Amino acid sequence: MSVLIIEAFYGGSHKQLVDLLQEELEDCVLYTLPAKKWHWRARVAALYFSQNVPIRENYRILFTSSVLNLTELTALRPDLGKLKKILYFHENQLVYPVKKFQERDFQYGYNQILSCLVADVVVFNSYFNMESFLTSIGKFMKLIPDHRPKDLENIIRPKCQVIYFPIKFPDVSSTSLRAGAREEKGSVQTCAYLHSLFTELMPRQHKHYVHFHRKASFTPSIIFFSKEQFMPEHKILHLKKMLSIKGNDSVALPSQREQRESENLLDNFNSECYVHSGLNTAQEENLDNALMKESGLKKVNSSDNSQSHLGKKEQNLPLNPFDSLGGNANQHRPLHIVWPHRWEHDKDPESFFKVLMSLKDLGLNFHVSVLGETFTDVPDVFSEAKKALGSSVLHWGYLACKDDYFQVLCMADVVVSTAKHEFFGVAMLEAVYCGCYPLCPKDLVYPEIFPAEYLYSTPEQLSKRLQNFCKRPDIIRKHLYKGEMAPFSWAALHGKFRSLLTTEPKEDL
């Protein structure tokens, strides 16, 4: 057990990282605290671990996240202070958004600066995270009324490096639905939609193994028993392109002409959003007519799209919802938007739901799945939005099982971020891996990870792009992601982490 891993906030991406390290690397031992009340974890976790981590002579390396006050721990446990100390930043408190500037607690950012000073190596999950932290130290320390420390950035910077968060992507092209009964509550409309979707997905393949029923309380539940592919064919093409994943050899790639036509239509969508963010009705009508003429499809009356009752949804379901190039099929199945983020104010759910309500007010048809973890205080906007969105909701709430989570992502078309705080964005990359088209703010870490066409500058641009996608969801379903995923995979990064965690305390990396 040469590597001691301590995680004071064992949840979300923090948990994902240390579990992966312990699973994939040898000689690791892990000590954690539950992911609750992070403010208190940051304040007192060092004292707890100083009393609960056994004294052992065979530790060589200490790896911990920046939630822990490393300075306090090494002062309380001098034996741990002698180890090679690696501090990993998932986020930094110097630029973490608060509702009001007066609410920022100086101590959290100060603790992180002190931890950097005692660490031997400081690792950030993105260049945005590293530079925003280092360049904010001077301004942050000016909050001290007098006798301020100097040159802290110059002292800390030589210790710093970036190693992207490693994501161990699963094989979602053919995944097992867990054996045995599983119940998942949702709306009657959700179950009818999923029933049609799965029975069409698995023609002649054990339809009787997928059961949807309603209890006496009319609360629908879903029971899955079989192992079947749930990755749509057009998304398997996406996976092949990005990661060279071998799929069904009988699935043909779209021709260059078909792909070019699809991309031209998508480029029209995006350029209209940026150049004419305030299109009038006539301009919108001209855009719609041009798109319909080019694709050879008749324009769907907006009043037809606005129908959200169950019968209409069942009627609009395609014969084969996962036809890789099925224009008519993909046209009629409503756009499925997913928001897979923590239910907290820094992810700005208010802006997201405001955009969705604007789509609903325009009579546009769409489905939405709102995922992500919840903690002690859940913003009121979630319960209000769920009621207002009504039958548009397909899934609402955190999915603890990763298979269930990836299954929802595979069914979705577009993944949206409205974050005011993001230093990496595991959920967005996981959704893109599952074939979702990303829409992210042109800010924070996103320009570092995503090509420019997937970024928006204002809520109005986001709304406009989603309006267009609602009108032509088939265009999104034919799109092949133009960015890279491999640099963020465990396969690409495991060597860097192995080197980081096997180097002796006095050796250079």
Side-chain angles (χ1 to χ4, degrees):
M1 297 182 185
S2 62
V3 180
L4 171 62
I5 302 176
I6 295 178
E7 180 50 67
F9 194 78
Y10 188 57
S13 61
H14 293 239
K15 180 180 186 299
Q16 195 169 331
L17 175 60
V18 296
D19 283 352
L20 180 61
L21 295 179
Q22 189 179 36
E23 174 187 346
E24 296 289 339
L25 303 179
E26 303 82 14
D27 299 326
C28 295
V29 60
L30 174 63
Y31 290 89
T32 68
L33 281 171
K36 298 179 180 178
K37 302 182 183 299
W38 75 265
H39 300 84
W40 282 105
R41 298 288 184 257
R43 289 182 181 118
V44 303
L47 179 57
Y48 170 84
F49 286 119
S50 72
Q51 296 179 340
N52 288 276
V53 174
I55 297 176
R56 291 178 180 168
E57 295 182 357
N58 58 343
Y59 291 140
R60 294 291 180 267
I61 295 172
L62 169 60
F63 181 94
T64 186
S65 74
S66 59
V67 175
L68 179 72
N69 189 325
L70 186 58
T71 307
E72 291 181 349
L73 179 64
T74 54
L76 293 166
R77 286 288 299 272
D79 59 311
L80 299 182
K82 297 176 182 178
L83 308 179
K84 175 187 175 182
K85 299 172 290 298
I86 302 170
L87 187 68
Y88 193 87
F89 273 74
H90 293 267
E91 61 279 312
N92 77 74
Q93 291 298 314
L94 301 194
V95 294
Y96 196 94
V98 292
K99 294 179 181 178
K100 297 179 181 178
F101 181 78
Q102 292 81 359
E103 294 178 1
R104 185 179 299 278
D105 191 320
F106 179 83
Q107 196 64 40
Y108 301 128
Y110 183 67
N111 288 351
Q112 289 187 331
I113 292 172
L114 291 180
S115 293
C116 288
L117 292 171
V118 301
D120 297 298
V121 182
V122 182
V123 183
F124 293 84
N125 60 358
S126 67
Y127 288 96
F128 167 75
N129 194 1
M130 181 175 73
E131 290 302 324
S132 64
F133 178 81
L134 292 173
T135 58
S136 296
I137 291 175
K139 179 180 178 181
F140 183 80
M141 298 305 288
K142 288 181 180 179
L143 295 173
I144 301 173
D146 55 14
H147 301 289
R148 302 182 185 107
K150 298 179 180 179
D151 299 324
L152 295 181
E153 178 184 347
N154 293 333
I155 296 171
I156 294 172
R157 184 176 283 276
K159 303 180 180 185
C160 297
Q161 60 177 287
V162 172
I163 303 181
Y164 284 123
F165 185 97
I167 304 176
K168 192 173 183 180
F169 295 113
D171 180 6
V172 293
S173 62
S174 180
T175 303
S176 296
L177 299 177
R178 287 182 294 149
R182 175 172 64 85
E183 294 191 356
E184 181 178 318
K185 295 181 178 179
S187 68
V188 174
Q189 291 86 349
T190 299
C191 287
Y193 171 83
L194 293 177
H195 179 269
S196 299
L197 196 60
F198 274 93
T199 53
E200 295 298 341
L201 170 63
M202 299 183 288
R204 302 180 301 279
Q205 297 183 33
H206 314 295
K207 285 187 181 181
H208 58 281
Y209 286 152
V210 183
H211 302 287
F212 292 75
H213 67 273
R214 284 163 52 179
K215 298 180 180 179
S217 62
F218 296 99
T219 300
S221 60
I222 308 169
I223 304 178
F224 297 97
F225 285 99
S226 61
K227 177 180 179 178
E228 298 291 349
Q229 174 179 304
F230 61 75
M231 191 67 165
E233 286 186 6
H234 67 274
K235 290 194 175 186
I236 294 176
L237 303 181
H238 153 91
L239 280 176
K240 286 182 178 181
K241 178 179 183 293
M242 285 197 306
L243 301 175
S244 300
I245 293 178
K246 292 182 179 180
N248 186 344
D249 292 336
S250 65
V251 178
L253 287 169
S255 69
Q256 291 183 355
R257 178 176 177 274
E258 289 168 330
Q259 185 63 30
R260 185 168 58 251
E261 288 179 353
S262 173
E263 293 304 323
N264 286 341
L265 287 174
L266 191 56
D267 289 342
N268 287 340
F269 278 163
N270 295 340
S271 62
E272 288 292 341
C273 292
Y274 291 120
V275 178
H276 303 291
S277 59
L279 289 178
N280 58 40
T281 304
Q283 289 174 310
E284 291 180 358
E285 190 72 17
N286 289 336
L287 173 61
D288 288 341
N289 289 335
L291 290 172
M292 295 306 171
K293 182 178 180 180
E294 185 170 354
S295 65
L297 295 173
K298 293 182 179 180
K299 185 181 176 184
V300 178
N301 188 283
S302 62
S303 63
D304 292 337
N305 286 340
S306 67
Q307 298 298 322
S308 60
H309 57 77
L310 178 57
K312 190 65 177 180
K313 284 189 176 179
E314 293 176 328
Q315 178 183 338
N316 282 344
L317 283 171
L319 292 175
N320 182 358
F322 293 144
D323 179 359
S324 63
L325 293 174
N328 285 323
N330 283 329
Q331 167 70 9
H332 288 298
R333 182 158 47 92
L335 186 77
H336 184 174
I337 304 166
V338 64
W339 192 86
H341 310 286
R342 283 184 291 103
W343 292 20
E344 293 186 311
H345 80 92
D346 61 292
K347 300 302 181 183
D348 198 8
E350 291 85 359
S351 291
F352 175 68
F353 292 129
K354 185 177 180 180
V355 168
L356 291 192
M357 293 312 301
S358 70
L359 300 181
K360 206 168 182 66
D361 291 342
L362 291 170
L364 296 171
N365 202 7
F366 63 90
H367 291 138
V368 62
S369 292
V370 179
L371 312 178
E373 287 189 270
T374 59
F375 297 96
T376 306
D377 299 318
V378 177
D380 295 336
V381 69
F382 283 94
S383 59
E384 297 167 359
K386 184 180 180 182
K387 182 178 179 181
L389 290 168
S391 61
S392 296
V393 174
L394 282 188
H395 189 90
W396 197 271
Y398 176 63
L399 290 170
C401 174
K402 272 292 186 179
D403 281 349
D404 297 343
Y405 173 71
F406 283 116
Q407 187 171 346
V408 173
L409 296 184
C410 286
M411 292 169 60
D413 301 310
V414 179
V415 60
V416 175
S417 171
T418 47
K420 295 184 291 187
H421 143 256
E422 192 59 80
F423 297 103
F424 184 73
V426 176
M428 291 297 294
L429 283 168
E430 288 176 337
V432 171
Y433 172 83
C434 291
C436 294
Y437 186 102
L439 289 174
C440 320
K442 192 176 181 180
D443 195 9
L444 309 171
V445 74
Y446 295 120
E448 182 179 336
I449 294 177
F450 296 101
E453 74 173 87
Y454 304 109
L455 308 177
Y456 64 87
S457 300
T458 65
E460 291 74 23
Q461 283 185 2
L462 172 61
S463 178
K464 186 60 186 177
R465 296 187 74 177
L466 287 175
Q467 288 174 40
N468 287 330
F469 294 172
C470 284
K471 295 172 185 176
R472 287 300 308 273
D474 57 308
I475 301 301
I476 297 303
R477 291 169 188 146
K478 294 176 186 177
H479 176 74
L480 296 180
Y481 179 66
K482 297 178 182 178
E484 295 186 18
M485 295 293 289
F488 312 109
S489 68
W490 172 249
L493 295 167
H494 78 276
K496 292 184 178 181
F497 277 94
R498 187 176 295 276
S499 176
L500 184 70
L501 295 175
T502 55
T503 305
E504 292 300 317
K506 298 302 180 182
E507 293 179 359
D508 295 329
L509 288 176

